[in-house]
Structure formats: C-alpha cells, structure tokens
C-alpha cells in the first residue's frame, strides 16, 4: 500500500483545511508515493520515535504534533527538531502530522478525551465559523433526483444526525443556446423555457470541489447553472474544545481524583474548589486557555485542559473549576485514537502505537 492511500484516508476523517492558520499539519518528511512498510502512531515525532520506526521497519510515523512548526532556516542538527528531521530523511522515514485538523473534529482529540471520561451529550465548545456553504442548482425535472443523489453521495445535505437534507422548488428556467452548443433541449438561437427544479443543499466548505464535480458529472446541462454562497451558520461538529455531561454528578474532590487517574497525571493543578457538584464538563486537549471564557459562558462546572499560565487560573473567577492536567497527559489517548482508526481501516496492515513515552515534562 502506498503512503498516499493512508494519507487520503486520514484526510477524509480530518480534512487538512480544518487546521488552524498557524499550523503545519500534513506530510513533513518523505514521499507519499512510497510503498508503506508499517505505521507508528505517536503524539510527538522526535528522534527516539524515528529510531523506533527504523528498528521496527515502519517507514511512516503518524504524529499529532508537527515536528517542524515554525519553519527551519538551517538543518545542521543543532536542536532536537533538526536532529529528528535529518534522521528521518537519511533513513527514508515519512512523518505525517495530523494536528489541529484532528483537534477540530468531533471524533478527534477531544472526542477521545470525552470517551475516556465517559461524557454524554457531546457538543463542540467553540464551533468554527465559515465552515458551511450552500449550493443552488437548477435541474430539468427528469434529472433532479439523479443530481440530488450525486450531491448527497459526495457529502452534501448533512445536518447533525440528518442526511439527504435538501429543499426543492419547481419553476421555469429560460435559456437561448448559442452557435456551436449542444443544448439538452430547445433549439439553437431560440429562447427555450424549461421546467426545472431548484435544488438547495448545505455542505461543509472542505467538500466543495468534490460536490461541484459530482453535481457536474450528474447534471444533464452542457453549461450547469449553479450558485454557491457562504453561510454564517457554524458547523456543529467542527471547532475547538468539547462539552459534555457526566452520567451522575460527582463531588469536585472525587472528580479531581477521577481525572488524575483517567489521565495518569502525576499532578493536577486546579483553581479554588467551589463546593458544588460537577456535572457539565468542558475539555480541550493541549493548550486550551483560549477557551476559558467560552467554558464559563456555557456554564460548565469544570474545564479540563493544559498549559495554563499563573494568571489564567484567576480567570476562573470563582465561577468554574479549572484543571490543568498536563499537555501530554491530556492528549496521550490520541495515539490510541490514531491506531484504532488506521487498524480498523487497514486491518491486515502493521499499525503500531509508539513504545516511546515522549512526554518531556517530569515531576519530582
Ligand atoms: Zn498538543
């Protein structure tokens, strides 16, 4: 199997266009046309993980964090990033990063955290804007169903748990075919009136190319009439952080012990206890301080994240319990998530979890 096939699967699950602007997800070293000899899933692609890939004869590392993030000006091995990149390139190891695009989908990093905590009724904490578009196309009556089905199959018409959503109105279209055309109906040089269906279908922006080509391939007109508009609606399944509920409310001290054990954290840094039960839980794997105000606004009892600075703990304002469980600790199950996704899709292929504990933070 080619590396390209694995990447193409991952990018259907977590489209690269969902990554944040500052990010550098994607194929970082190696060549997608290589034959894949095995996959290692990791949170970080550091030198030890590259060595592991060499030893285990896996030439593809799928990592959450991009090893090259802010750009490289020299590659002479002076720091861990350069050393890793040199080793990967010299040994023909491909490194693919699936970062904020995996953070931003409902079944991604935070979805896995929520599953580990047993949270229910999950929604995205900060849904991303500008992710939805609407397509209008005008189709002769006889071909309307074929075009609708093609757009649905390409991923259009999904609204939460509903699929095949569309709105259809019939009306009369006009056109006058010019010289050299081959019109679906009517006569060249004369205005033609055609009974048409106007089909309206919502779709995620990242599927635009696929949807337009499916529409064009199924549409009988030589010149397909269609409009695309950007919607201000936010996509309920795409965005940062997540919020969910515990089955039963928990005492806050018991809850802190619970997350300490679930995430195998040596230390949980938290704000002042508020003497109230925990039911509504907001989460964000990795550095999530940008979501504190959002967690407050939605009335979460607790916000679990990592990488908080001293002053950010004050932002709890005695209205929410904030718990910093550590960056690695919060995201470690992403390794399982990637391994499970890939092993499910390619059951006969070697998909391993790294045996290297890449957490650079230790406690004494
Ligand atoms: Zn992270």
């Amino acid at each position: 199997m080619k590396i390209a096939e694995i990447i193409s699967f991952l990018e259907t699950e977590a489209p690269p266009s969902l990554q944040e602007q500052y990010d550098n997800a994607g194929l970082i070293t190696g060549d997608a046309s290589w034959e894949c000899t095995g996959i290692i899933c990791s949170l970080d692609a550091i030198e030890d993980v590259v060595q592991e890939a060499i030893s285990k004869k896996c030439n593809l590392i799928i990592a959450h964090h991009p090893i090259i993030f802010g750009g490289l000006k020299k590659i002479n091995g002076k720091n861990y990033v350069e050393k890793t990149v040199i080793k990967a390139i010299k040994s023909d190891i491909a490194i693919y990063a699936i970062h904020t695009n995996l953070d931003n989908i409902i079944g991604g990093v935070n979805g896995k955290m929520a599953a580990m905590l047993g949270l229910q009724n999950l929604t995205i904490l900060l849904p991303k804007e500008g992710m939805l578009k609407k397509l209008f196309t005008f189709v002769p009556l006889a071909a309307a169903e074929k075009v609708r089905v093609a757009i649905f199959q390409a991923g259009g018409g999904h609204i939460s748990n509903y699929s095949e959503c569309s709105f259809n109105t019939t009306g009369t279209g006009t056109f006058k075919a010019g010289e050299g055309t081959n019109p679906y109906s009517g006569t060249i040089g004369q205005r033609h009136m055609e009974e048409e269906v106007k089909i309206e279908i919502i779709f995620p922006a990242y599927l635009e190319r696929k949807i337009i080509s499916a529409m064009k391939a199924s549409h009988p007109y030589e010149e397909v009439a269609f409009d695309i508009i950007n919607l201000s609606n936010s996509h309920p399944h795409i965005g940062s952080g997540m919020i969910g509920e515990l089955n039963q409310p928990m005492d806050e001290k018991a809850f802190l012990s619970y997350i300490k054990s679930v995430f195998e954290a040596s230390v949980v840094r938290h704000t002042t206890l508020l003497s109230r039960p925990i039911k509504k839980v907001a989460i964000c794997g990795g550095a999530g301080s940008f979501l504190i105000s959002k967690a407050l606004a939605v009335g979460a009892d607790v916000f679990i994240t990592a990488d908080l600075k001293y002053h950010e703990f004050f932002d709890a304002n005695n209205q929410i319990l904030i718990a910093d469980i550590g960056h690695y600790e919060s995201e470690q199950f992403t390794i399982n998530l990637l391994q499970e996704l890939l092993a499910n899709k390619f059951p006969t292929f070697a998909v391993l979890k790294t045996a290297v504990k890449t957490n650079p933070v230790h406690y004494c």
Side-chain angles (χ1 to χ4, degrees):
M1 183 168 45
K2 297 263 188 276
I3 287 178
E5 203 178 318
I6 297 156
I7 293 178
S8 148
F9 163 67
L10 289 173
E11 297 193 346
T12 324
E13 296 292 314
S17 60
L18 299 185
Q19 68 180 301
E20 301 297 335
Q21 272 186 342
Y22 57 79
D23 202 2
N24 190 37
L27 188 63
I28 289 178
T29 64
D31 189 326
S33 70
W34 288 348
E35 199 64 35
C36 186
T37 59
I39 305 171
I40 292 212
C41 303
S42 180
L43 203 57
D44 307 285
I46 53 173
E47 210 182 352
D48 287 351
V49 179
V50 176
Q51 183 52 53
E52 183 187 23
I54 297 167
S55 313
K56 294 181 177 167
K57 299 194 172 16
C58 296
N59 67 347
L60 175 61
I61 298 170
I62 307 286
H64 180 49
H65 296 132
I67 181 70
I68 300 178
F69 198 62
L72 290 181
K73 287 198 168 175
K74 295 189 178 72
I75 310 181
N76 56 30
K78 283 228 169 70
N79 60 44
Y80 82 99
V81 174
E82 295 172 13
K83 278 186 192 141
T84 306
V85 171
I86 291 170
K87 194 175 179 83
I89 291 174
K90 274 183 157 176
S91 317
D92 287 340
I93 301 290
I95 300 177
Y96 180 86
I98 181 163
H99 192 211
T100 49
N101 46 332
L102 191 63
D103 288 323
N104 282 333
I105 59 169
I106 198 144
V109 175
N110 299 309
K112 189 69 186 174
M113 285 177 76
M116 297 304 296
L117 288 168
L119 301 181
Q120 313 285 322
N121 306 326
L122 297 172
T123 50
I124 296 281
L125 188 53
L126 181 62
K128 226 173 168 35
E129 287 175 4
M131 285 288 119
L132 286 170
K133 295 193 176 198
K134 192 173 247 192
L135 168 67
F136 302 86
T137 183
F138 304 84
V139 192
L141 285 179
E145 178 59 9
K146 186 181 171 202
V147 174
R148 258 193 306 268
V149 167
I151 298 169
F152 292 153
Q153 284 175 349
H158 280 270
I159 302 175
S160 289
N161 291 327
Y162 290 82
S163 58
E164 305 196 1
C165 304
S166 72
F167 189 77
N168 303 271
T169 36
T170 46
T172 309
T174 68
F175 54 80
K176 183 160 84 179
E179 283 306 318
T181 60
N182 180 22
Y184 166 77
S185 56
T187 312
I188 289 176
Q190 283 180 22
R191 190 208 293 162
H192 175 72
M193 314 264 279
E194 180 75 29
E195 284 305 291
E196 292 176 339
V197 182
K198 177 190 183 189
I199 305 173
E200 306 180 25
I201 294 183
I202 201 165
F203 65 93
Y206 62 83
L207 288 179
E208 180 164 338
R209 215 182 300 165
K210 194 175 169 196
I211 282 181
I212 299 308
S213 80
M215 173 194 69
K216 285 186 172 170
S218 60
H219 202 295
Y221 282 175
E222 189 175 30
E223 204 57 60
V224 175
F226 69 99
D227 307 318
I228 293 173
I229 57 166
N230 295 322
L231 301 181
S232 306
N233 314 37
S234 49
H235 194 305
H237 290 170
I238 295 175
S240 310
M242 198 165 270
I243 180 140
E245 288 178 343
L246 294 169
N247 269 338
Q248 294 291 327
M250 274 176 96
D251 167 77
E252 54 190 349
K253 275 188 188 154
F255 182 78
L256 288 171
S257 313
Y258 174 58
I259 61 174
K260 195 173 176 194
S261 115
V262 168
F263 293 99
E264 295 158 22
S266 306
V267 169
V268 173
R269 301 191 303 151
H270 63 87
T271 53
T272 312
L273 298 179
L274 301 172
S275 307
R276 63 174 200 212
I278 303 286
K279 170 89 173 154
K280 216 171 168 184
V281 181
I283 51 179
C284 178
S289 63
F290 68 105
L291 290 172
I292 293 175
S293 57
K294 188 68 195 181
L296 275 164
V298 298
D301 299 310
V302 64
F303 178 42
I304 307 170
T305 187
D307 291 357
L308 293 182
K309 292 182 189 154
Y310 175 77
H311 291 284
E312 288 164 345
F313 285 87
F314 287 112
D315 292 335
N317 208 21
N318 287 327
Q319 288 170 35
I320 190 170
L321 178 63
I322 301 179
D324 181 334
I325 58 173
H327 197 124
Y328 179 91
E329 288 79 358
S330 70
E331 295 185 331
Q332 61 188 310
F333 301 113
T334 306
I335 303 169
N336 302 25
L337 170 73
L338 290 169
Q339 198 270 340
E340 287 154 12
L341 260 179
L342 288 161
N344 250 335
K345 174 71 182 175
F346 308 108
T348 57
F349 204 70
V351 187
L352 313 177
K353 291 190 278 184
T354 181
V356 180
K357 194 163 184 201
T358 59
N359 192 358
V361 183
H362 299 266
Y363 303 92
C364 60

